[in-house]
Structures are given as structure tokens and as C-alpha cells.
Amino acid sequence: MATAPVLVVVGALMMSGARELEWNRMDDALPAFLTIALMPFTYSIANGISAGIVSYAALKLLSGRPREAHPVLYVLAVLLVLHYATGGGA
């Protein structure tokens, strides 16, 4: 099977974007880390992306910089929290 090597190459190419993140800003670094880490640990791309969106919105609000994120992101974060709170993510 030649599938596994191709997936490794695609994953490596996707990680090249992580180099451009501002890793010294916690409100940017933590959501990126959660997104990257939770995808393999939960075996779900959707769970990783959801954790990144929710944590990004929460950290922007808590850090006092809510205008750095688009308002639609906050709506999406609330909808994702409701989705997982009602058992939709199980």
C-alpha cells in the first residue's frame, strides 16, 4: 500500500504553515497547538478544528482583543459549544 507515505508527505506540507504563526502570542499559539494536537489524539479533523475555533474565540475575548477576530467566528464558536454540549460531538 502506498497510502501511508503519501499521507506523511501531505501532513508535512500542511505543517509548513505552522512556521508562520506567532508562537510567542498565547492567544494565537494555544488554539493552533490544540488544533494540531487534537486531530490525531481524537482521530477526528472536525474535533481538532472545533477546539481551535472555540479556544481562539475564548482567548481573544479573555485577552481583551475581541476585535482581532471576525464576529462570525464568535457565532461559530457558540454554535460549536452548543453542539458538543448537547452530545452532538459524541
Side-chain angles (χ1 to χ4, degrees), residues 18 21-40 45-63 65 68-69 73-74 77:
L21 289 170
E22 292 187 40
W23 289 102
N24 57 347
R25 286 188 57 182
M26 199 53 61
D27 59 336
D28 287 339
L30 186 61
F33 172 76
L34 286 174
T35 302
I36 293 167
L38 286 179
M39 282 184 197
I45 294 172
N47 287 342
I49 292 174
S50 297
I53 290 171
V54 171
S55 63
Y56 185 78
L59 287 172
K60 286 298 179 186
L61 287 172
L62 293 173
S63 66
R65 293 192 284 258
E68 289 185 9
L73 182 99
Y74 296 114

Side-chain angles (χ1 to χ4, degrees), residues 64-78:
R65 293 192 284 258
R67 293 189 177 181
E68 289 185 9
H70 197 279
V72 174
L73 182 99
Y74 296 114
V75 173
L76 183 58
V78 169

